Amino acid sequence: MNDKLLYKVPEAAERLSLSRAKVYELIKDGVLKSVQIDSSRRVKAEDLRAYVESLGVAA
C-alpha cells in the first residue's frame, strides 16, 4: 500500500498513466484538484482517487 499523501505532478501523471501535460491541463480546467505549496504544485492522493472514481460516472 502506498502511504504518500501528496504527489508531484509527474508522479500523479505516472499513477494515472497520463502525460504530465495532460495532468496540468486537468488541473487548469478544474477537473483534478491540486494544492500549491510555495512554487510547487502537488496533488493529494485522495484527489487522485476522486478523479478516477469520477470517470465511471459520466453518462
Side-chain angles (χ1 to χ4, degrees):
M1 183 170 137
N2 194 336
D3 60 350
K4 234 176 166 177
L5 298 175
L6 294 172
Y7 290 92
K8 296 176 184 176
V9 171
E11 294 171 329
E14 185 176 328
R15 300 255 323 159
L16 295 171
S17 298
L18 297 172
S19 70
R20 190 175 66 102
K22 182 63 177 179
V23 171
Y24 276 117
E25 181 182 320
L26 292 170
I27 291 169
K28 184 184 120 210
D29 293 344
V31 178
L32 177 61
K33 293 181 183 177
S34 68
V35 296
Q36 185 145 357
I37 302 171
D38 295 327
S39 63
S40 299
R41 179 70 53 188
R42 297 290 187 267
V43 180
K44 293 180 184 177
E46 63 197 58
D47 291 331
L48 284 177
R49 282 189 289 279
Y51 169 72
V52 171
E53 289 173 11
S54 76
L55 296 175
V57 176

